[in-house]
Amino acid sequence: MQLSYWELKNWFTNVDYTVVGSGIVGLHAALRLREKFPDSKILVLEKGMLPHGASTKNAGFACFGSISEIIDDLKSHSEEEVFSLVQKRWQGLQLLRKRLGDDRIDFKPYGGYELFLNEDDSCYNECVSKLPFINEILKPLFRTDVFAKEIDRFGFNGVREHLVFNPFEAQIDTGNMMQALLKQAVSENILILNQQTVTSFVDKGNEVEIALDDFSFMTKKVLFATNGFANELTDGAVKPARAQVLVTEPIKDLDIRGTFHLDRGYYYFRNIGDRILLGGGRNLDFDAETTTEFAQTEIVQNKLEQLLKEVILPNQDFKIAHRWSGIMGIGNSKNPIVSQLSENVYCGVRLGGMGVAIGSLIGTELADLI
């Protein structure tokens, strides 16, 4: 591509900060940089038409972990680490709400629920028995109990009579959130270029040369906010994790309101108005879902439809309106990576499937490394 004098001058000359990735983390990093350095030139590069990983593809859960997820995390992390993770997710959600406002993101505090299949004795019994313990761990943050047993009033089929309810969980409109973030970034004179893939970069000590498909430019600092696509950047500390999702056509007299978790968080669903959004199934074939390819697989889609038919919407007609997938970033640890990679190169990645909650905080922390 041959750039004009004007294009080079306005977009690619005297660039102070280049952020790679225009999702939740990238835009929060750019906005924080603007607060810290009001006169700087900030450029955001995005390889997709829209944010490419999960920021515009997630289910819109304003959550910080179901009780079974937290119990699972305690098996590989210390109590202090798990508390810190929940705290960061909670702080991130408050930061997102404060920056954009509840109306703009269509924040609905319906609460969250975890349901348990009848045959899942071990998970149910473990969650019920450890419920007081988990509440005690989280009490310094929430000042009250987070999780409580409730009778299932939604008419689900094949599940335990009791659900575990969390009044602090909510849902948001993912599309509204990202549009609001993009508008705010543009209003703050942050330059955003889409469909620009960074093919390589070289830290030269006092600046970084960034190569795109067919030309390169210099920037003083570069911040990577590429989450599920950060495997190479982090020497394998971040693995991609595909999440498959579907949404139904509107369902007459739908009486389901809230966010719902099933099978240790591997399945999740919510209402969007009178529709049901359902996603998950990565655990059916971990190898196949450790990929950066956007696609659906028969094994996962069949399972999602089975859950809709047999558990979530029994004795109810429904039609699938749309299917899609997103790419998350996970690893051996749930702790995000916010680090300086070299003199002028930084990254904020590995959100562990909690990007809506933790992304705003990680973006802010990433910018604060500078």
Side-chain angles (χ1 to χ4, degrees), residues 75-289:
K75 294 169 184 174
S76 55
H77 299 71
S78 68
E79 280 184 34
E80 292 75 18
E81 283 179 311
V82 170
F83 178 83
S84 177
L85 273 171
V86 172
Q87 185 177 43
K88 281 177 177 288
R89 293 163 182 169
W90 183 246
Q91 288 173 343
L93 286 169
Q94 307 321 306
L95 184 60
L96 183 70
R97 294 173 65 188
K98 183 180 178 182
R99 183 177 288 285
L100 299 179
D102 286 353
D103 288 345
R104 291 175 81 188
I105 63 176
D106 200 20
F107 183 87
K108 288 187 166 63
Y110 290 148
Y113 303 82
E114 182 153 14
L115 48 135
F116 304 86
L117 297 174
N118 282 333
E119 62 266 24
D120 199 355
D121 285 330
S122 61
C123 184
Y124 176 76
N125 292 331
E126 185 177 32
C127 288
V128 170
S129 67
K130 291 186 175 176
L131 197 149
F133 170 63
I134 300 300
N135 280 336
E136 196 60 34
I137 289 175
L138 299 181
K139 193 157 278 183
L141 181 59
F142 295 96
R143 308 295 181 193
T144 186
D145 286 348
V146 173
F147 298 107
K149 277 172 64 178
E150 278 197 5
I151 295 283
D152 170 22
R153 61 177 182 80
F154 299 102
F156 299 132
N157 184 52
V159 301
R160 297 287 180 142
E161 179 185 11
H162 285 93
L163 313 174
V164 174
F165 176 62
N166 168 8
F168 295 100
E169 196 164 306
Q171 52 179 242
I172 65 167
D173 184 308
T174 289
N176 287 1
M177 172 197 66
M178 283 309 301
Q179 279 197 335
L181 262 181
L182 285 162
K183 285 178 183 175
Q184 193 166 117
V186 171
S187 74
E188 294 284 351
N189 196 29
I190 292 166
L191 303 170
I192 302 173
L193 292 177
N194 292 74
Q195 298 186 313
Q196 300 298 317
T197 300
V198 174
T199 56
S200 65
F201 63 94
V202 179
D203 190 338
K204 298 195 168 184
N206 58 350
E207 57 185 352
V208 183
E209 182 176 10
I210 295 182
L212 303 177
D213 282 331
D214 45 14
F215 77 101
S216 63
F217 69 98
M218 308 305 293
T219 181
K220 288 179 183 172
K221 308 279 186 184
V222 60
L223 298 81
F224 283 91
T226 49
N227 196 29
F229 302 89
N231 184 300
E232 191 175 330
L233 194 68
T234 60
D235 292 326
V238 180
K239 301 288 186 196
R242 181 169 62 193
Q244 299 184 41
V245 187
L246 58 77
V247 67
T248 69
E249 298 281 4
I251 298 166
K252 188 179 179 184
D253 301 323
L254 182 69
D255 191 29
I256 296 173
R257 293 287 182 273
T259 51
F260 299 82
H261 307 262
L262 180 66
D263 194 5
R264 297 169 175 84
Y266 282 118
Y267 298 96
Y268 44 89
F269 63 96
R270 56 166 285 190
N271 70 296
I272 305 178
D274 292 331
R275 302 172 188 260
I276 289 289
L277 177 153
L278 168 64
R282 188 169 64 85
N283 55 321
L284 296 173
D285 190 346
F286 282 119
D287 289 342
E289 299 306 307

Side-chain angles (χ1 to χ4, degrees), residues 277-313:
L277 177 153
L278 168 64
R282 188 169 64 85
N283 55 321
L284 296 173
D285 190 346
F286 282 119
D287 289 342
E289 299 306 307
T290 306
T291 178
T292 56
E293 181 187 356
F294 293 93
Q296 290 88 49
T297 60
E298 192 173 341
I299 184 175
V300 171
Q301 293 297 315
N302 286 346
K303 181 63 175 180
L304 295 180
E305 290 193 36
Q306 180 195 341
L307 285 173
L308 271 178
K309 195 175 298 183
E310 297 177 4
V311 177
I312 302 167
L313 298 169

Side-chain angles (χ1 to χ4, degrees), residues 54 226-229 238-241 327-331 349-354:
T226 49
N227 196 29
F229 302 89
V238 180
K239 301 288 186 196
I327 309 297
M328 306 176 291
I330 64 170
V349 295
R350 197 170 67 185
L351 306 190
M354 290 279 177

